[in-house]
Amino acid sequence: MRKGLVLEGGALRGLFTAGVMDVLMESGVAFDGVVGVSAGACFGCNYKSGQAGRVLRYNLRFAHDLRYCSLWSLLTTGGIFGPRFAYRTLPQKLDIFDVEAFDRSPMEFHLVATDVDTGEAVYRRFDRFSDEMYDWILASSSMPIVSRVVEIGRQRLLDGGIADSIPLRYFEDQGFGRNVVVLTQPLGYEKNELSHQRFIRCALRRYPKLIEAWIHRHEMYNAELRYIAEREASGSALLLYPSEKLPIGHISHSRERMQLTYDLGRECAERRLDEIVKFLG
Protein backbone atom coordinates (compact mmCIF):
# COMPACT_ATOMS: atom_id res chain seq x y z
CA MET A 1 0.00 0.00 0.00
CA ARG A 2 1.46 3.35 -1.04
CA LYS A 3 2.03 5.88 1.72
CA GLY A 4 1.42 9.59 1.21
CA LEU A 5 1.96 12.91 2.97
CA VAL A 6 -0.77 15.53 2.42
CA LEU A 7 0.08 19.13 3.32
CA GLU A 8 -2.43 21.94 3.75
CA GLY A 9 -1.41 25.53 3.00
CA GLY A 10 -1.80 28.62 5.15
CA ALA A 11 1.18 30.83 4.17
CA LEU A 12 3.40 31.23 7.26
CA ARG A 13 1.17 28.91 9.27
CA GLY A 14 3.01 26.36 7.14
CA LEU A 15 5.98 26.72 9.49
CA PHE A 16 4.03 24.33 11.72
CA THR A 17 4.14 21.88 8.82
CA ALA A 18 7.87 22.52 8.41
CA GLY A 19 8.41 21.52 12.04
CA VAL A 20 6.45 18.31 11.52
CA MET A 21 8.36 17.49 8.32
CA ASP A 22 11.77 18.06 9.88
CA VAL A 23 11.09 15.62 12.73
CA LEU A 24 9.85 13.01 10.25
CA MET A 25 12.86 13.50 7.97
CA GLU A 26 15.30 13.37 10.89
CA SER A 27 13.59 10.15 12.06
CA GLY A 28 13.90 8.51 8.65
CA VAL A 29 10.14 8.32 8.00
CA ALA A 30 9.67 7.61 4.30
CA PHE A 31 6.70 8.32 2.04
CA ASP A 32 6.02 7.27 -1.53
CA GLY A 33 4.64 10.69 -2.35
CA VAL A 34 3.86 14.14 -1.00
CA VAL A 35 1.18 16.53 -2.19
CA GLY A 36 1.19 20.17 -1.11
CA VAL A 37 -1.10 23.14 -1.51
CA SER A 38 0.22 26.71 -1.42
CA ALA A 39 2.73 26.82 1.47
CA GLY A 40 2.36 23.04 1.63
CA ALA A 41 3.82 22.89 -1.88
CA CYS A 42 6.43 25.59 -1.30
CA PHE A 43 7.69 23.88 1.85
CA GLY A 44 6.79 20.27 0.99
CA CYS A 45 9.22 19.97 -1.92
CA ASN A 46 11.99 19.97 0.70
CA TYR A 47 10.85 16.54 1.88
CA LYS A 48 11.73 15.02 -1.48
CA SER A 49 15.08 16.86 -1.51
CA GLY A 50 15.72 15.80 2.10
CA GLN A 51 16.53 19.32 3.31
CA ALA A 52 15.45 19.32 6.93
CA GLY A 53 15.79 22.76 8.51
CA ARG A 54 15.82 24.70 5.25
CA VAL A 55 12.30 26.17 5.51
CA LEU A 56 12.81 27.66 8.96
CA ARG A 57 16.33 28.83 8.09
CA TYR A 58 15.40 30.97 5.10
CA ASN A 59 12.22 32.31 6.66
CA LEU A 60 14.17 33.53 9.69
CA ARG A 61 16.96 34.91 7.52
CA PHE A 62 14.70 36.91 5.23
CA ALA A 63 11.94 37.81 7.72
CA HIS A 64 12.64 41.54 7.33
CA ASP A 65 13.89 41.53 3.74
CA LEU A 66 11.62 43.72 1.61
CA ARG A 67 12.35 41.54 -1.41
CA TYR A 68 10.93 38.45 0.31
CA CYS A 69 7.61 39.59 1.78
CA SER A 70 6.42 43.18 2.03
CA LEU A 71 4.04 45.85 0.80
CA TRP A 72 7.00 47.19 -1.17
CA SER A 73 7.25 43.86 -2.97
CA LEU A 74 3.52 43.92 -3.71
CA LEU A 75 3.72 47.42 -5.18
CA THR A 76 6.85 46.81 -7.25
CA THR A 77 6.45 43.18 -8.35
CA GLY A 78 2.73 42.46 -8.05
CA GLY A 79 3.26 39.85 -5.33
CA ILE A 80 3.43 40.31 -1.58
CA PHE A 81 5.93 37.44 -1.64
CA GLY A 82 8.40 38.64 -4.27
CA PRO A 83 7.98 36.25 -7.22
CA ARG A 84 11.48 36.60 -8.63
CA PHE A 85 13.27 36.78 -5.29
CA ALA A 86 11.36 34.08 -3.38
CA TYR A 87 10.96 31.60 -6.23
CA ARG A 88 14.20 32.05 -8.18
CA THR A 89 16.95 34.04 -6.43
CA LEU A 90 16.46 32.43 -3.02
CA PRO A 91 16.43 28.74 -4.08
CA GLN A 92 19.08 29.18 -6.77
CA LYS A 93 21.59 31.45 -5.00
CA LEU A 94 20.84 32.26 -1.34
CA ASP A 95 19.59 29.04 0.27
CA ILE A 96 20.07 26.56 -2.51
CA PHE A 97 17.41 23.95 -3.24
CA ASP A 98 19.12 20.57 -3.70
CA VAL A 99 18.02 19.63 -7.21
CA GLU A 100 20.25 16.55 -7.37
CA ALA A 101 18.83 15.12 -4.15
CA PHE A 102 15.32 15.89 -5.37
CA ASP A 103 15.99 13.92 -8.55
CA ARG A 104 17.57 10.98 -6.71
CA SER A 105 14.62 10.52 -4.39
CA PRO A 106 11.99 8.01 -5.58
CA MET A 107 9.28 10.04 -3.84
CA GLU A 108 6.60 11.64 -6.03
CA PHE A 109 5.99 15.37 -5.56
CA HIS A 110 2.52 16.68 -6.41
CA LEU A 111 1.07 20.16 -6.03
CA VAL A 112 -2.25 21.92 -6.54
CA ALA A 113 -3.11 25.23 -8.20
CA THR A 114 -6.41 26.82 -9.21
CA ASP A 115 -7.26 27.66 -12.82
CA VAL A 116 -8.63 31.21 -12.71
CA ASP A 117 -10.70 30.72 -15.87
CA THR A 118 -12.51 27.59 -14.68
CA GLY A 119 -12.28 27.92 -10.90
CA GLU A 120 -11.18 24.29 -10.78
CA ALA A 121 -8.17 22.59 -9.23
CA VAL A 122 -5.20 21.75 -11.43
CA TYR A 123 -2.72 19.08 -10.27
CA ARG A 124 0.90 18.75 -11.35
CA ARG A 125 3.38 15.98 -10.57
CA PHE A 126 7.18 16.26 -10.58
CA ASP A 127 9.32 13.16 -10.24
CA ARG A 128 12.37 15.07 -11.42
CA PHE A 129 13.16 18.74 -11.17
CA SER A 130 12.57 21.12 -14.04
CA ASP A 131 12.79 24.90 -13.97
CA GLU A 132 9.02 25.00 -14.53
CA MET A 133 8.54 23.52 -11.05
CA TYR A 134 9.34 26.91 -9.54
CA ASP A 135 6.56 28.45 -11.63
CA TRP A 136 4.07 25.83 -10.44
CA ILE A 137 5.05 26.34 -6.80
CA LEU A 138 4.65 30.09 -7.30
CA ALA A 139 1.21 29.52 -8.82
CA SER A 140 0.12 27.20 -6.03
CA SER A 141 1.25 29.79 -3.46
CA SER A 142 -0.09 32.97 -5.12
CA MET A 143 -2.89 34.32 -2.96
CA PRO A 144 -5.58 36.28 -4.83
CA ILE A 145 -5.60 40.09 -4.59
CA VAL A 146 -2.02 40.22 -3.28
CA SER A 147 -0.48 38.22 -6.16
CA ARG A 148 -0.47 38.38 -9.92
CA VAL A 149 -2.01 35.57 -11.94
CA VAL A 150 0.71 33.11 -12.98
CA GLU A 151 0.67 32.02 -16.61
CA ILE A 152 2.11 28.60 -17.45
CA GLY A 153 1.55 27.58 -21.04
CA ARG A 154 -2.10 28.23 -21.79
CA GLN A 155 -3.18 28.07 -18.16
CA ARG A 156 -3.65 31.01 -15.82
CA LEU A 157 -3.27 30.01 -12.20
CA LEU A 158 -3.49 31.11 -8.57
CA ASP A 159 -3.53 29.62 -5.05
CA GLY A 160 -4.41 25.92 -5.04
CA GLY A 161 -6.25 26.27 -1.74
CA ILE A 162 -9.14 28.04 -3.44
CA ALA A 163 -10.22 24.89 -5.28
CA ASP A 164 -8.75 22.03 -3.20
CA SER A 165 -7.37 22.98 0.20
CA ILE A 166 -6.68 19.48 1.58
CA PRO A 167 -6.20 17.14 -1.41
CA LEU A 168 -6.57 13.82 0.38
CA ARG A 169 -9.22 12.55 -2.02
CA TYR A 170 -6.94 13.42 -4.96
CA PHE A 171 -4.06 11.49 -3.43
CA GLU A 172 -6.26 8.48 -2.77
CA ASP A 173 -7.26 8.59 -6.44
CA GLN A 174 -3.52 8.44 -7.28
CA GLY A 175 -3.23 5.17 -5.39
CA PHE A 176 -2.04 6.39 -1.99
CA GLY A 177 -4.01 4.25 0.44
CA ARG A 178 -2.42 5.28 3.74
CA ASN A 179 -1.92 9.00 4.25
CA VAL A 180 -0.59 11.32 6.93
CA VAL A 181 -2.44 14.65 6.65
CA VAL A 182 -0.91 17.79 8.19
CA LEU A 183 -3.36 20.60 8.94
CA THR A 184 -2.46 24.14 10.00
CA GLN A 185 -5.68 24.76 11.92
CA PRO A 186 -6.64 23.07 15.20
CA LEU A 187 -9.14 20.24 15.43
CA GLY A 188 -12.71 21.56 15.39
CA TYR A 189 -11.91 24.54 13.18
CA GLU A 190 -14.52 25.44 10.56
CA LYS A 191 -14.00 28.01 7.83
CA ASN A 192 -16.50 30.86 7.73
CA GLU A 193 -18.07 32.48 4.70
CA LEU A 194 -15.76 34.90 2.92
CA SER A 195 -16.09 38.55 3.95
CA HIS A 196 -15.69 41.63 1.72
CA GLN A 197 -17.36 39.85 -1.19
CA ARG A 198 -18.28 43.08 -2.97
CA PHE A 199 -14.64 44.17 -3.05
CA ILE A 200 -13.54 40.72 -4.22
CA ARG A 201 -16.11 40.67 -7.02
CA CYS A 202 -14.83 44.05 -8.16
CA ALA A 203 -11.13 43.24 -7.89
CA LEU A 204 -11.43 39.89 -9.67
CA ARG A 205 -14.25 40.73 -12.08
CA ARG A 206 -12.20 39.36 -15.01
CA TYR A 207 -12.40 35.89 -13.44
CA PRO A 208 -16.02 35.10 -12.55
CA LYS A 209 -15.40 31.36 -12.09
CA LEU A 210 -12.54 32.10 -9.70
CA ILE A 211 -14.79 34.45 -7.73
CA GLU A 212 -17.45 31.78 -7.32
CA ALA A 213 -14.90 29.18 -6.26
CA TRP A 214 -13.43 31.56 -3.68
CA ILE A 215 -16.80 32.65 -2.33
CA HIS A 216 -17.86 29.01 -1.89
CA ARG A 217 -14.49 27.90 -0.61
CA HIS A 218 -15.72 27.57 2.97
CA GLU A 219 -18.23 24.94 1.85
CA MET A 220 -15.53 22.96 0.02
CA TYR A 221 -13.09 23.28 2.91
CA ASN A 222 -15.50 22.17 5.60
CA ALA A 223 -16.61 19.24 3.43
CA GLU A 224 -12.97 18.21 3.09
CA LEU A 225 -12.55 18.35 6.86
CA ARG A 226 -15.51 16.00 7.24
CA TYR A 227 -14.05 13.66 4.63
CA ILE A 228 -10.62 13.43 6.23
CA ALA A 229 -12.26 12.78 9.61
CA GLU A 230 -14.15 9.88 8.02
CA ARG A 231 -10.93 8.54 6.52
CA GLU A 232 -9.16 8.78 9.86
CA ALA A 233 -12.02 6.87 11.49
CA SER A 234 -11.67 4.17 8.83
CA GLY A 235 -7.95 3.83 9.58
CA SER A 236 -6.64 5.01 6.21
CA ALA A 237 -5.56 8.50 7.31
CA LEU A 238 -3.75 9.95 10.29
CA LEU A 239 -4.21 13.66 11.07
CA LEU A 240 -1.60 15.95 12.59
CA TYR A 241 -2.70 19.41 13.67
CA PRO A 242 -1.92 22.18 16.17
CA SER A 243 -3.51 21.78 19.58
CA GLU A 244 -4.74 25.38 19.44
CA LYS A 245 -4.77 28.33 17.06
CA LEU A 246 -1.25 29.02 15.86
CA PRO A 247 0.47 32.23 17.05
CA ILE A 248 1.05 33.42 13.49
CA GLY A 249 -1.11 34.57 10.57
CA HIS A 250 -0.65 34.33 6.84
CA ILE A 251 1.98 37.08 6.95
CA SER A 252 4.43 37.87 9.73
CA HIS A 253 7.86 39.45 10.11
CA SER A 254 8.31 38.23 13.68
CA ARG A 255 11.16 35.74 13.97
CA GLU A 256 9.91 34.87 17.43
CA ARG A 257 6.48 33.86 16.10
CA MET A 258 8.05 31.95 13.23
CA GLN A 259 10.26 29.97 15.59
CA LEU A 260 7.39 29.29 18.00
CA THR A 261 5.11 28.06 15.19
CA TYR A 262 7.86 25.78 13.89
CA ASP A 263 8.56 24.47 17.40
CA LEU A 264 4.87 23.62 17.85
CA GLY A 265 5.06 21.51 14.70
CA ARG A 266 8.13 19.71 15.98
CA GLU A 267 6.48 19.08 19.34
CA CYS A 268 3.40 17.62 17.64
CA ALA A 269 5.47 15.25 15.50
CA GLU A 270 7.76 14.20 18.34
CA ARG A 271 4.81 13.51 20.62
CA ARG A 272 3.09 11.36 18.01
CA LEU A 273 6.12 9.85 16.28
CA ASP A 274 5.56 6.29 17.51
CA GLU A 275 1.94 6.51 16.40
CA ILE A 276 2.98 7.78 12.95
CA VAL A 277 5.55 5.02 12.48
CA LYS A 278 3.06 2.37 13.56
CA PHE A 279 0.39 3.79 11.24
CA LEU A 280 2.73 3.72 8.26
CA GLY A 281 3.90 0.22 9.09
Side-chain angles (χ1 to χ4, degrees):
M1 183 178 294
R2 297 215 295 166
K3 296 171 284 188
L5 179 62
V6 180
L7 306 176
E8 182 185 12
L12 288 183
R13 291 202 312 271
L15 286 167
F16 174 87
T17 302
V20 170
M21 290 196 311
D22 284 358
V23 169
L24 298 184
M25 281 190 275
E26 292 161 6
S27 303
V29 177
F31 295 92
D32 299 300
V34 56
V35 58
V37 181
S38 192
C42 190
F43 298 165
C45 60
N46 293 279
Y47 209 113
K48 181 168 163 58
S49 64
Q51 290 178 276
R54 179 173 179 266
V55 173
L56 178 67
R57 183 174 62 241
Y58 72 70
N59 273 282
L60 292 178
R61 178 181 174 186
F62 298 110
H64 295 286
D65 194 313
L66 296 179
R67 298 169 297 171
Y68 182 55
C69 176
S70 66
L71 181 59
W72 178 85
S73 176
L74 176 61
L75 295 174
T76 57
T77 71
I80 197 163
F81 285 93
R84 183 72 191 174
F85 179 81
Y87 297 93
R88 283 294 194 280
T89 304
L90 194 161
Q92 292 176 337
K93 297 180 180 180
L94 301 177
D95 197 318
I96 295 175
F97 180 70
D98 193 336
V99 170
E100 292 182 359
F102 183 92
D103 286 350
R104 285 195 304 268
S105 170
M107 178 187 294
E108 297 175 12
F109 173 59
H110 299 242
L111 54 77
V112 189
T114 299
D115 187 309
V116 301
D117 295 307
T118 66
E120 296 178 352
V122 179
Y123 305 93
R124 186 71 163 82
R125 171 179 166 180
F126 289 92
D127 294 330
R128 295 180 61 83
F129 175 83
S130 73
D131 200 52
E132 188 182 71
M133 192 175 90
Y134 289 139
D135 295 326
W136 278 94
I137 293 175
L138 169 61
S140 180
S141 307
S142 291
M143 298 178 288
I145 307 296
V146 294
S147 306
R148 287 180 177 171
V149 170
V150 179
E151 296 188 11
I152 304 177
R154 296 182 179 181
Q155 292 179 301
R156 299 189 294 176
L157 306 163
L158 279 176
D159 190 343
I162 298 170
D164 190 354
S165 297
I166 313 167
L168 174 59
R169 195 186 300 267
Y170 161 77
F171 232 28
E172 289 177 337
D173 290 344
Q174 304 308 302
F176 293 88
R178 191 168 291 271
N179 294 286
V180 173
V181 182
V182 183
L183 305 178
T184 57
Q185 296 285 8
L187 196 65
Y189 171 82
E190 287 192 1
K191 190 172 290 294
N192 296 322
E193 187 174 1
L194 190 66
S195 57
H196 309 298
Q197 291 189 20
R198 182 175 297 180
F199 167 74
I200 288 166
R201 288 186 183 277
C202 179
L204 298 175
R205 58 188 176 276
R206 294 174 56 194
Y207 311 111
K209 296 291 183 65
L210 177 69
I211 292 170
E212 292 308 307
W214 199 11
I215 286 175
H216 293 284
R217 183 190 176 197
H218 67 290
E219 299 169 4
M220 173 273 295
Y221 184 90
N222 293 334
E224 289 190 334
L225 287 178
R226 292 191 294 271
Y227 180 76
I228 63 175
E230 292 171 2
R231 301 307 288 162
E232 183 176 49
S234 74
S236 65
L238 186 148
L239 309 186
L240 303 177
Y241 45 81
S243 58
E244 57 187 26
K245 184 178 179 180
L246 291 172
I248 201 167
H250 281 81
I251 306 298
S252 176
H253 301 287
S254 168
R255 291 189 174 98
E256 181 180 358
R257 290 179 182 271
M258 291 178 183
Q259 183 72 57
L260 178 57
T261 302
Y262 170 84
D263 289 344
L264 289 170
R266 287 195 65 95
E267 185 279 329
C268 173
E270 288 167 352
R271 173 169 43 85
R272 300 186 63 186
L273 185 58
D274 289 344
E275 181 185 358
I276 295 166
V277 172
K278 183 178 179 181
F279 170 77
L280 293 172

